């Protein structure tokens, strides 16, 4: 029933660890996104994939690597986690060439 | 990059009051979207606007795409406690093929019952 789902909902880990966040959408959309929301609630796009092809890659440290096994899934892998990576990460999806993006429930990442 | 100025930053109102918030930009946008984010949840799309001058309603919500294409407004009538949350505007820029949205910094709405 859920349109855009993310796992896990909460992730607490130590500095230096590697972690992954998974996203799936069942809306039949072609394009998926990762956003970061900081403590001031500012939403900033990180990546966008269209049909498994990277189309947006903002200035994000290369410790962050998105992977799209198919157009319904977009995972985010983060290496060597740092304190500043603590934030809420949202996955979103949209139709090809469409601005209406639908968001998942978010993953709150806390790095200690 | 492009920036959106969203105001007010926060609002405290009584139940039953009407609310207005807006977003402005120095650049032209082709699309304006309004989202609402409840605590601990992801943003939910409320209204999408695609044409300058367009006025669109969704229940008690009404949004307008400014004639200059550089601004948009969201009005909520007869507010109720469940209207509490953060409202974001988002703009889709003119040109470009990657359909990247720029988000405003949000308006935090508190409704006192």
């Amino acid at each position: 029933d859920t349109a855009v789902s993310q796992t896990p909902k909460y992730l607490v880990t130590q500095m230096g660890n590697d972690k992954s966040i998974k996203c799936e959408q069942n809306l039949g959309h072609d394009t998926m996104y990762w956003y970061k929301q900081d403590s001031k609630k500012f939403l900033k796009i990180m990546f966008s994939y269209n049909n498994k092809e990277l189309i947006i890659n903002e200035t994000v440290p290369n410790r962050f690597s998105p992977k799209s096994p198919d157009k319904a899934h977009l995972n985010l892998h983060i290496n060597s986690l740092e304190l500043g990576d603590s934030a809420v990460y949202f996955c979103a999806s949209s139709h090809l060439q469409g601005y209406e993006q639908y968001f998942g429930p978010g993953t709150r990442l806390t790095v200690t | 990059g492009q920036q959106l100025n969203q105001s007010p930053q926060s609002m405290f109102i009584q139940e039953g009051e009407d609310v207005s918030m807006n977003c402005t930009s120095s650049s032209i946008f082709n699309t304006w979207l309004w989202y609402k984010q409840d605590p601990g949840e992801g943003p939910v799309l409320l209204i999408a606007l695609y044409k300058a001058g367009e006025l669109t309603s969704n229940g008690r919500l009404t949004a307008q795409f400014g004639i200059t294409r550089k601004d948009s407004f969201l009005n909520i009538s007869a507010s109720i406690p469940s209207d509490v949350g953060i409202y974001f505007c988002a703009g889709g820029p003119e040109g470009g093929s990657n359909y990247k949205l720029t988000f405003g910094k949000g308006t935090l709405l508190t409704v006192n019952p």
Side-chain angles (χ1 to χ4, degrees), chain B residues 25-92:
Chain B
S25 170
S26 56
S27 306
I28 287 174
F29 284 102
N30 272 347
T31 304
W32 284 98
L33 305 171
W34 285 93
Y35 286 85
K36 182 193 177 199
Q37 185 177 17
D38 289 331
E41 301 293 332
V44 173
L45 181 62
L46 299 173
I47 293 178
L49 302 159
Y50 286 94
K51 208 169 159 185
E54 180 181 355
L55 187 72
T56 297
S57 293
N58 178 5
R60 294 177 295 105
L61 277 60
T62 301
Q64 184 161 23
F65 192 140
I67 279 290
T68 64
R69 295 168 65 192
K70 292 183 179 181
D71 56 11
S72 180
F73 305 86
L74 176 70
N75 295 318
I76 305 173
S77 62
S79 58
I80 59 178
S82 62
D83 290 335
V84 164
I86 303 176
Y87 291 80
F88 291 99
C89 63

Side-chain angles (χ1 to χ4, degrees), chain A:
Chain A
D1 215 17
T2 306
V4 183
S5 59
Q6 292 179 231
T7 54
K9 176 78 172 170
Y10 300 96
L11 186 52
V12 181
T13 188
Q14 292 184 324
M15 282 175 56
N17 284 347
D18 303 339
K19 289 293 178 187
S20 292
I21 306 172
K22 295 187 176 183
C23 177
E24 177 180 1
Q25 56 92 6
N26 62 7
L27 295 168
H29 288 163
D30 301 281
T31 308
M32 296 183 73
Y33 311 80
W34 278 111
Y35 284 85
K36 180 180 181 181
Q37 186 174 48
D38 60 23
S39 58
K40 295 185 178 177
K41 305 298 184 186
F42 183 56
L43 276 164
K44 185 167 168 49
I45 190 165
M46 300 171 68
F47 301 103
S48 171
Y49 266 77
N50 172 247
N51 274 329
K52 303 195 292 176
E53 181 184 345
L54 183 65
I55 57 172
I56 296 175
N57 185 354
E58 293 295 287
T59 310
V60 176
N62 57 17
R63 298 181 294 104
F64 290 79
S65 54
K67 285 190 173 42
S68 181
D70 56 59
K71 70 177 187 178
H73 296 84
L74 181 63
N75 304 323
L76 183 65
H77 189 75
I78 316 170
N79 288 328
S80 303
L81 278 154
E82 300 177 357
L83 292 176
D85 298 332
S86 295
V88 181
Y89 292 84
F90 287 103
C91 176
S93 71
S94 70
H95 281 298
L96 177 64
Q97 299 185 357
Y99 283 114
E100 294 182 26
Q101 296 179 17
Y102 294 83
F103 285 78
T107 296
R108 180 174 293 277
L109 172 65
T110 304
V111 182
T112 61

